[in-house]
Amino acid sequence: MLREYVREHTNPPVFVISGVVAVGFVLWGVLAPGNVSTVAGAANAFITTYFEWLYIVAATFFLVFVVVLMVSRYGAVKLGPPDSTPEYSNLAWFAMLFTAGMGIGLVFYAVSEPIAHFTAPPTGPPATAEAAQNAMSYTFFHWGLHPWAIYIVLGLSLGYFAFRRGLPLRPAAALYPLLGERINSWVGNLVDILAVFGTLFGLATSLGIGGQQVGAGVSALFGLTNATTLQVVLVLGITTIAVVSVMLGIDKGIRRLSLANLWLAFGLMLFVFFAGPSLDLLNTIAANAGHYLQNLAGLSLQTFPGDSAAQEWQASWTLFYWGWWISWSPFVGMFIARISYGRTIRAFIIGTLLAPVGASMVWLTIFGNSALQLLLRDPSNPLAGASPESALFVLLNQLTVPEVVSAVASVVAILVVVLFFATSSDSGSLVVDILTNGGDPHPRWQQRLFWAVLEGVIAAVLLLAGGAAGGEALSALQTASIVAGLPFCIVLLFLCLGLVRGLRTERLAALALHPPQPLTDLRRSSQRRNRPSPPRDVD
């Protein structure tokens, strides 16, 4: 019975190999967590030594690629037949893609990252006005246009080939112009397996970070020690919320949680804005954006040749982020493709590239500059020595509001992290299930449950591995992202080539290649063992 279920409802090679290896990693982490950290550290050192250039060049290439595509004649092509319309309103669409794409990390690093670059910049003296400006530029660089360009490459490729060309919703399908029918062979399965592991470890990084920050909030409010044990318990507990959400599906679960989370985060941001230096923050938003855009080209291709200290900083920050975003790209890309049916390529890129980046800039300025101004006035401020997970709560406690209001704000911050945790996990579970079932966008609940639980357990294992090695759990999470992102970086480069080849055969006045409600067709085709013949104009 189990064998029949696997054959009927999954892509067996992808599901079985991914599931067995993921469970094996969990057992390895439980039985020998110190060894996991040692092996991962060695792999991380190898990648940052020999493939730093690949991460830097590839991330910049992806940004240039999507901008050129946006302004090209192909921007008018719809992700669906010519008469298709979007499934979700602009607000719901933005809420889902923003919470899935940025999530926990934006809350975790909004205060801690500017402080880190301010107190220990890669170049120049620390703790100066210039260091504060550069700190915000580095933070914008890591959270701005490059991450979303990486997401767009995969999301646009999947949306185009699935909704416009009728292929299954799986990364390998976007390589059809390059591989042809071999997307259904071991080559295509390998691409999907790499996407599964990138998603699992990218999500585990985010979930582990979320557990650390919720632990810091609980510690600040109730005096508990924010130890690894507490973080693991919180990760597993919040995973339960994610399981409930993913079982309800996109409309009843993910969409509602995303909208609730967006409004709570917006309320928290407004509170910090009005309780902090409001007028200065308004001026600083424009200054930060201008400084970032003015230095974007230099930041994008900087490798600090001959400066070992700056290169170490880059490995700890930029390479970690690029690996994290690339490992997240199968998850976020597939999810935003799934919710973007009916939008044009130009609307998809503009909405996905500019709207979240603008919102992130405002968020980072309000939280980051509020903290930096306190440090500029008093270098011995408690923020200078705050841990990354506790920096947000240290800032909230220093705002000029009554203590009870600050405590309420801390509770709201914890809720925001928890909901970001849940929306990331449930969206990721849906995507991993689609990856392992051959491209069916309506997976079975049993499979969604399996992957949602496994994501939380992997995050807990990485936290335990970091603690067992005597180092910071955050380092283990960062290492996992960098290692998982490398192989999929190469896949993304081939996806760009496949998308260009597909679009070159596109006729702007093309007839509908299939009915304007393709999800049923996708479900039916994904359950067949052999994919039907593609439209004749796909190379």
Side-chain angles (χ1 to χ4, degrees):
M1 182 179 296
L2 178 60
R3 179 180 297 180
E4 293 178 358
Y5 178 91
V6 170
R7 293 182 61 183
E8 182 178 356
H9 298 293
T10 73
N11 181 355
V14 178
F15 181 84
V16 173
I17 293 174
S18 300
V20 168
V21 175
V23 172
F25 173 82
V26 169
L27 294 176
W28 179 26
V30 170
L31 297 175
N35 183 250
V36 171
S37 185
T38 301
V39 172
N44 179 62
F46 176 81
I47 290 172
T48 55
T49 300
Y50 295 102
F51 291 98
E52 172 189 16
W53 62 271
L54 178 61
Y55 275 122
I56 299 299
V57 173
T60 302
F61 169 76
F62 295 142
L63 177 57
V64 174
F65 176 78
V66 300
V67 171
V68 170
L69 200 58
M70 178 181 68
V71 300
S72 73
R73 65 190 181 97
Y74 299 116
V77 175
K78 281 191 174 182
L79 302 183
D83 58 349
S84 58
T85 57
E87 293 181 276
Y88 301 99
S89 69
N90 289 334
L91 179 61
W93 180 63
F94 171 76
M96 287 190 285
L97 70 89
F98 182 73
T99 54
M102 293 290 97
I104 296 167
L106 198 60
V107 183
F108 186 90
Y109 285 106
V111 178
S112 63
E113 183 173 351
I115 292 174
H117 302 327
F118 175 74
T119 56
T123 58
T128 63
E130 182 181 2
Q133 182 66 79
N134 290 334
M136 292 308 302
S137 289
Y138 290 131
T139 305
F140 275 24
F141 175 53
H142 294 146
W143 291 89
L145 297 171
H146 285 74
W148 287 99
I150 293 169
Y151 297 158
I152 288 170
V153 167
L154 186 63
L156 186 57
S157 298
L158 291 178
Y160 175 76
F161 284 103
F163 299 145
R164 187 78 174 181
R165 301 301 182 93
L167 296 174
L169 194 64
R170 51 187 289 235
L175 294 174
Y176 188 84
L178 305 178
L179 298 178
E181 291 297 327
R182 284 179 295 172
I183 65 170
N184 297 312
S185 69
W186 69 268
V187 180
N189 290 334
L190 177 61
V191 171
D192 291 345
I193 290 170
L194 290 175
V196 169
F197 284 107
T199 301
L200 286 175
F201 285 95
L203 276 170
T205 301
S206 297
L207 303 186
I209 285 173
Q212 288 181 311
Q213 192 163 40
V214 173
V218 171
S219 176
L221 289 173
F222 303 107
L224 299 178
T225 302
N226 188 20
T228 302
T229 303
L230 175 63
Q231 295 166 9
V232 169
V233 170
L234 289 170
V235 165
L236 297 179
I238 303 172
T239 297
T240 305
I241 300 175
V243 167
V244 174
S245 176
V246 78
M247 299 297 288
L248 292 173
I250 290 182
D251 290 326
K252 293 181 179 179
I254 299 173
R255 182 180 65 85
R256 291 177 180 177
L257 267 185
S258 298
L259 286 170
N261 197 17
L262 191 68
W263 287 115
L264 273 177
F266 182 68
L268 180 64
M269 182 182 69
L270 287 181
F271 167 75
V272 174
F273 174 77
F274 286 113
S278 305
L279 183 59
D280 288 341
L281 290 175
L282 287 175
N283 294 326
T284 307
I285 290 173
N288 286 346
H291 195 268
Y292 162 65
L293 294 174
Q294 182 181 356
N295 295 279
L296 181 60
L299 289 170
S300 299
L301 297 174
Q302 177 64 271
T303 57
F304 302 104
D307 190 337
S308 58
Q311 288 177 338
E312 184 178 348
W313 173 91
Q314 187 173 55
S316 299
W317 287 101
T318 306
L319 296 190
F320 155 62
Y321 274 122
W322 289 178
W324 192 13
W325 303 139
I326 290 170
S327 65
W328 257 51
S329 64
F331 151 47
V332 181
M334 181 172 288
F335 183 73
I336 62 177
R338 171 64 182 81
I339 64 176
S340 298
Y341 168 75
R343 298 182 185 272
T344 65
I345 288 177
R346 184 170 295 114
F348 177 88
I349 295 176
I350 291 174
T352 308
L353 186 63
L354 300 184
V357 171
S360 297
M361 286 181 175
V362 174
W363 176 278
L364 291 168
T365 296
I366 289 175
F367 286 91
N369 280 103
S370 294
L372 291 178
Q373 289 199 22
L374 291 173
L375 286 170
L376 283 170
R377 288 199 296 265
D378 178 14
S380 62
N381 188 285
L383 282 166
S387 63
E389 61 269 20
S390 65
L392 172 62
F393 301 102
V394 174
L395 172 65
L396 294 176
N397 287 332
Q398 294 191 64
L399 297 176
T400 54
V401 294
E403 185 176 347
V404 65
V405 176
S406 177
V408 171
S410 295
V411 172
V412 172
I414 292 174
L415 286 176
V416 168
V417 175
V418 169
L419 290 179
F420 268 130
F421 188 127
T423 52
S424 296
S425 181
D426 58 16
S427 304
S429 302
L430 179 68
V431 165
V432 172
D433 202 359
I434 293 173
L435 286 168
T436 57
N437 68 22
D440 179 5
H442 303 286
R444 308 278 290 195
W445 70 265
Q446 296 93 336
Q447 294 159 217
R448 298 202 306 270
L449 175 64
F450 171 75
W451 292 115
V453 171
L454 192 58
E455 285 162 13
V457 173
I458 289 176
V461 165
L462 287 172
L463 288 172
L464 290 171
E472 295 182 359
L474 182 59
S475 298
L477 297 169
Q478 292 175 331
T479 296
S481 288
I482 294 175
V483 173
L486 178 63
F488 209 76
C489 178
I490 299 170
V491 172
L492 287 178
L493 292 170
F494 281 105
L495 285 183
C496 292
L497 179 59
L499 181 59
V500 169
R501 286 196 177 182
L503 287 171
R504 287 178 62 186
T505 68
E506 180 70 40
R507 296 186 301 273
L508 295 182
L511 297 175
L513 300 178
H514 47 75
Q517 295 181 346
L519 298 183
T520 301
D521 293 340
L522 285 175
R523 179 178 176 83
R524 185 164 55 248
S525 66
S526 67
Q527 291 177 348
R528 299 187 184 122
R529 292 304 95 199
N530 296 316
R531 191 192 59 75
S533 299
R536 61 180 179 274
D537 60 341
V538 176
D539 286 339

